Amino acid sequence: MRFLIAILVLALSWVGTAQARYYDDVIASGVITIGAYKDFPPYSFEQDGVASGVDIEIGRRIAQELGVTMQVHWITPDENLEDDLRNNVWKGHYLDKDTDNPLAMKHLADVMMRVPYDREYSFKRDSLGLLINEHVVLFGPYQREKWQVAFDSKKLDRVGTVAVFQYHPIGVEIDSLPDFYMTSAFAGRMRKNTRHYPNVHQAFLAMTKGKVDAVMGMRAEVDWLLSEAENSQYQLAENGFPMMGKQQWDIGMAVKQTYRELSHAVEGVVDQLVTSGEMDKIYTSYGLRYELPGLYQEIE
């Protein structure tokens, strides 16, 4: 009886846990599951029912080099990155159940894209001194991201400094770093001209309708929106962001901590894309500027 109970407990604990996979399991299955954020152009989104974006294309290249096919695991962002890593890389969300087996969580992403590659974040500890990200490995930096302002040249001659937004309205994504910055920098002098939108796309749309004179968001998002608009009326600003703190950061990937062999294989593919110039071409094909992450800039 005790033996049967033990077997039952083991079985229940197994089906109740989402399964990411070892490298050998990925290769044997012929499929690699790439985790990418949903509705997040130009990084990852669906266009006419087809998965698109730079992160999706990188995922396809990874799959191709490993000799497998790519399956996309769409990620809906939670409250913070720790939640996203837990729900999609190492544990799974308690609501994400398999309809055929209510006890079993769906398969996790084998590799999650667009994770900050930051040593300080990797070794971040909680109030008890425990590692917050002990269950994941952050690896493979493939892009450097920055903040960017775009403006309507019919409303502004140039944006040499963010101080102009004391007098001109600017659109930002609500609860984002640009939102915090524009409402608090320079003793809050830009707060009254800061307009809040659900995302950068909506802020840009507001600019095209004359409701704001500029927008601020991540460089690739702004580049994408400008390329889609195809209107020289909207231009890139060249200003900096005094008192902002971190204005640029590197983007990499994540796997479950126990699957380092998989991370090494994927990292090798991404490294080849970066060093051969193929990564630059992927970004350029979407109308984006590409910048090497810090690791490769140090090598140069």
Side-chain angles (χ1 to χ4, degrees):
M1 178 64 70
R2 290 181 180 177
F3 176 76
L4 292 176
I5 292 175
I7 291 296
L8 179 60
V9 169
L10 285 173
L12 290 175
S13 66
W14 183 83
V15 298
T17 304
Q19 298 295 306
R21 300 177 298 163
Y22 289 98
Y23 171 77
D24 289 344
D25 295 331
V26 170
I27 300 303
S29 73
V31 177
I32 186 168
T33 305
I34 300 293
Y37 283 102
K38 189 176 182 179
D39 300 328
F40 195 25
Y43 312 110
S44 45
F45 59 102
E46 285 190 308
Q47 194 167 42
D48 299 325
V50 178
S52 305
V54 292
D55 288 347
I56 299 299
E57 184 57 36
I58 295 167
R60 288 195 179 102
R61 301 294 184 92
I62 291 170
Q64 180 181 338
E65 290 300 316
L66 295 183
V68 297
T69 58
M70 180 189 72
Q71 174 179 291
V72 180
H73 171 85
W74 291 111
I75 297 171
T76 300
D78 210 313
E79 292 293 324
N80 53 51
L81 180 57
E82 288 82 20
D83 290 340
D84 292 346
L85 290 168
R86 181 189 64 245
N87 295 340
N88 298 281
V89 176
W90 65 269
K91 185 176 182 181
H93 196 286
Y94 68 95
L95 292 177
D96 190 21
K97 300 288 187 179
D98 189 324
T99 54
D100 295 327
N101 183 355
L103 290 175
M105 291 183 182
K106 293 180 182 178
H107 179 59
L108 292 171
D110 295 314
V111 179
M112 178 174 166
M113 306 298 293
R114 198 142 296 274
V115 177
Y117 181 78
D118 181 89
R119 180 176 176 80
E120 182 178 336
Y121 178 75
S122 297
F123 294 98
K124 183 179 178 182
R125 295 179 180 273
D126 61 18
S127 58
L128 299 176
L130 301 175
L131 284 171
I132 291 177
N133 298 305
E134 65 174 332
H135 297 292
V136 296
V137 175
L138 308 182
F139 71 101
Y142 59 91
Q143 176 216 347
R144 173 158 285 185
E145 188 61 276
K146 292 181 177 179
W147 298 111
Q148 176 70 58
V149 168
F151 66 96
D152 184 341
S153 62
K154 291 187 176 181
K155 303 288 186 65
L156 287 160
D157 292 330
R158 61 188 293 268
V159 179
T161 169
V162 290
V164 300
F165 300 117
Q166 295 177 83
Y167 317 105
H168 292 269
I170 182 170
V172 297
E173 181 177 352
I174 192 167
D175 293 331
S176 65
L177 185 56
D179 179 4
F180 175 77
Y181 179 72
M182 285 294 172
T183 55
S184 62
F186 301 108
R189 293 173 190 166
M190 300 178 290
R191 184 181 298 119
K192 64 182 178 65
N193 278 318
T194 302
R195 307 288 185 266
H196 304 91
Y197 297 92
N199 51 52
V200 178
H201 180 269
Q202 291 299 315
F204 193 90
L205 184 62
M207 182 169 68
T208 66
K209 294 180 178 180
K211 296 181 179 180
V212 295
D213 297 346
V215 298
M216 181 178 175
M218 287 186 286
R219 175 174 56 188
E221 286 187 285
V222 173
D223 284 355
W224 165 259
L225 291 166
L226 285 175
S227 67
E228 289 289 289
E230 295 182 347
N231 190 328
S232 59
Q233 173 181 341
Y234 309 114
Q235 299 181 12
L236 294 170
E238 298 179 358
N239 61 289
F241 305 101
M243 301 178 287
M244 178 181 251
K246 181 172 284 190
Q247 300 185 29
Q248 60 184 22
W249 61 100
D250 291 340
I251 297 297
M253 300 166 284
V255 299
K256 190 173 180 179
Q257 195 274 338
T258 49
Y259 303 139
R260 290 179 180 270
E261 184 180 4
L262 177 61
S263 73
H264 295 327
V266 171
E267 189 169 41
V269 176
V270 170
D271 178 73
Q272 180 61 29
L273 291 175
V274 173
T275 56
S276 68
E278 283 300 308
M279 189 70 75
D280 193 344
K281 292 179 182 178
I282 291 172
Y283 277 75
T284 300
S285 70
Y286 281 88
L288 315 178
R289 290 167 290 167
Y290 177 70
E291 183 177 350
L292 288 169
L295 177 66
Y296 292 91
Q297 293 185 20
E298 292 170 6
I299 293 174
E300 289 190 341

